[in-house]
Amino acid sequence: AALAEQRARFASAVTHELRTPLTTFCIYTAMLKDGMVQGEAKQMEYFETLHKESERLRHIVDNVLQNAGLEQGSSGPQLPPDAVQATELVGAIVPLMERRCAAANFAFESVPTDLEGLALCVSPQNVERILVNLVDNACKYGAGPTAQVRFWTEVTADQLLLFVRDFGPGVPASFEARLFAAYERGPAEPNRTSGSSEEGLGLGLSLSRELARTMGGDLSLVHGEPKAAPGCKDEASKVPGATFCLALPLA
């Protein structure tokens, strides 16, 4: 019964997510083919929309395939032969997160931390995927008085902790138990003004946690933490929101 319910949720989620981009493709390509879109500027606008929808389709397919692989135990990432420098890893991913926020009309704040000399044995692509997914979720569900995403890192004796925080309504306590379950979508209303209005498959956090664990780390929702990252204004502690922590083992 549980498997049947999960399959039903999967079919519903995929059908819902595929319908919009496929409909856009059918209509826009037909209009372009029939010469109904006049002027180079207008045509470029249509092509840009088609490009964005193709990226959305690719993201959906990637998530479904990777989730299927993880469930079958056949999609674990191969660890690189050499350790990755934390400074280089974070430095490469921060601009990607910033661009995602800018596209959703969110401010992005990265609190600098000295990571010099620290090394990790991880897949950079998987770390990027996890952090970008957390930022996408923050922009999708984290709209509030402050449309902002904050990123910072902390170092423990054996781990690098990477935090992504929004200033929205936070995660309802009633939903926390299902937060990382596949095909479970948050009950909060998506942000309709940020360009992140699609509901998604409910796979992002589930996939992200599995990817983190295949690298020897973990992904969790932070409870009871100070709301302000190191070096930030104290009044931020009075603002609600959700904070996620990606923990990665040091090499």
Side-chain angles (χ1 to χ4, degrees):
L3 180 59
E5 182 181 350
Q6 186 184 60
R7 286 175 174 171
R9 288 202 306 269
F10 167 77
S12 175
V14 172
T15 299
H16 173 82
E17 283 299 295
L18 291 178
R19 184 180 292 118
T20 300
L22 287 178
T23 299
T24 302
F25 262 96
C26 291
I27 295 174
Y28 278 31
T29 53
M31 293 177 68
L32 289 165
K33 178 179 72 71
D34 294 340
M36 298 174 63
V37 184
Q38 300 297 318
E40 184 177 349
K42 196 66 176 177
Q43 289 175 355
M44 289 304 299
E45 181 182 325
Y46 274 55
F47 283 130
E48 179 64 24
T49 298
L50 289 172
H51 175 69
K52 289 180 179 178
E53 292 299 276
S54 70
E55 286 294 305
R56 182 173 168 184
L57 281 172
R58 183 184 61 79
H59 179 71
I60 293 170
V61 173
D62 283 350
N63 273 352
V64 171
L65 292 178
Q66 187 150 26
N67 182 72
L70 285 170
E71 286 182 346
Q72 296 167 10
S74 62
S75 180
Q78 298 298 313
L79 290 176
D82 298 318
V84 179
Q85 293 299 311
T87 300
E88 296 177 7
L89 177 67
V90 173
I93 296 176
V94 163
L96 299 178
M97 295 191 289
E98 188 169 17
R99 285 198 292 272
R100 291 297 184 107
C101 286
N105 299 316
F106 266 60
F108 177 76
E109 180 183 9
S110 176
V111 182
T113 307
D114 184 12
L115 302 177
E116 201 64 41
L118 295 177
L120 307 165
C121 196
V122 297
S123 163
Q125 294 82 4
N126 284 343
V127 177
E128 174 188 319
R129 181 168 190 151
I130 295 168
L131 291 176
V132 168
N133 177 67
L134 292 177
V135 167
D136 283 346
N137 274 359
C139 293
K140 186 183 298 183
Y141 295 108
T146 303
Q148 179 183 350
V149 175
R150 178 174 293 156
F151 170 76
W152 74 96
T153 62
E154 295 176 11
V155 181
T156 69
D158 58 355
Q159 288 184 318
L160 173 63
L161 308 179
L162 304 103
F163 296 89
V164 173
R165 185 207 193 292
D166 65 56
F167 295 84
V171 179
S174 60
F175 187 70
E176 285 190 18
R178 308 195 308 277
L179 185 61
F180 292 97
Y183 309 114
E184 292 285 355
R185 289 177 292 204
E189 178 71 10
N191 179 17
R192 303 295 178 183
T193 63
S194 70
S196 299
S197 60
E198 65 273 12
E199 292 182 17
L201 292 173
L203 277 177
L205 288 176
S206 173
L207 274 175
S208 295
R209 172 173 274 185
E210 288 303 312
L211 289 175
R213 289 178 174 178
T214 61
M215 294 185 290
D218 206 353
L219 178 65
S220 59
L221 177 69
V222 179
H223 294 92
E225 43 82 41
K227 297 298 183 181
C232 298
K233 295 180 180 178
D234 292 338
E235 54 262 37
S237 63
K238 303 174 184 176
V239 181
T243 301
F244 288 87
C245 175
L246 171 62
L248 298 173
L250 297 176

